[in-house]
Structures are given as structure tokens and as C-alpha cells.
Amino acid sequence: LQSVGDGMPKAGFDVNFDSLCAWRASGVAWIAPSVLPPALQRLHAALAKSLAEVGFTLETRPFRPHVTLARRCLQPLPRARSAPIVWHADKLHLVGSELRADGPVYRDLASWELAAR
């Protein structure tokens, strides 16, 4: 992560998850921040730049962080505002996921501390 350099936050930061929605095609309900904190935007840009420099192919989709709330929703609701759930980010985690018939399994592969608050 040394190559990320200036993009690493100098302190932890809060993310306000306040936008509920679902992807109709997949039936996945999720919550996301309506506004991305600048520290998260900088971190994402620095990671993308570093990965591209060492040959990784990056997604072309916009960066849209979210938390999956439910899968296999039969009647996904349209986007709605919710009371914010504040998530303090103080570590960066590399997480591996394995899709299984009974649902995904996530495994923490590595983590890095962000500077203290």
C-alpha cells in the first residue's frame, strides 16, 4: 500500500449510509451513501491508480459503495431516503468472496489501519 501514498486517508472517516434501493434484475436490496466523503473518493482514486500502474484491469462502472441488506427480494422497492447509519472507517480491508449455492462466503485476506481519528 506504500504506492497509494497521498491517497491514503490521514485519519479515519465517517460514511453516512442513507439511501435505500434494490437492483431489480438481481433482487438485491442495499443501502448506500447519498454523498461520498472526500477521503473515500481520494482513497478509491489512489487505489485505482496504483492497481492500474501494476497491470490490473479496472472496472469501468462508477464507484458506488454499498452494503447488501438482503438477497432474492421478490418485490424490490424504489430508491428511498432513510435515517443515516453512520459507519466509521478506520481500516482498509481486502476481502475475498466465494459464491456458493447457499450464498456468498467472505474472507478477510488483509487489512491496513488508517491513521487514528
Side-chain angles (χ1 to χ4, degrees):
L1 238 95
Q2 287 77 12
S3 64
V4 176
D6 291 335
M8 281 294 282
K10 305 298 186 245
F13 55 90
D14 290 339
V15 182
N16 293 315
F17 289 86
D18 59 357
S19 183
L20 292 166
C21 200
W23 289 304
R24 290 192 184 281
S26 63
V28 172
W30 49 266
I31 190 166
S34 58
V35 176
L36 293 181
L40 180 56
Q41 292 177 22
R42 286 190 304 273
L43 176 59
H44 175 262
L47 288 169
K49 180 177 183 279
S50 294
L51 289 168
E53 287 172 353
V54 295
F56 280 86
T57 302
L58 303 178
E59 290 188 348
T60 57
R61 295 183 296 178
F63 176 53
R64 293 202 173 103
H66 66 278
V67 174
T68 298
L69 300 173
R71 296 181 184 277
R72 299 184 192 111
C73 297
L74 299 177
Q75 295 180 334
L77 299 173
R79 186 178 302 260
R81 289 291 201 160
S82 73
I85 299 170
V86 180
W87 190 333
H88 182 71
D90 56 7
K91 275 188 175 182
L92 173 65
H93 290 266
L94 175 61
V95 178
S97 65
E98 180 183 347
L99 294 177
R100 296 184 181 174
D102 59 341
V105 174
Y106 300 101
R107 195 166 46 102
D108 201 13
L109 304 174
S111 64
W112 298 266
E113 295 279 339
L114 301 177
R117 253 188 209 208

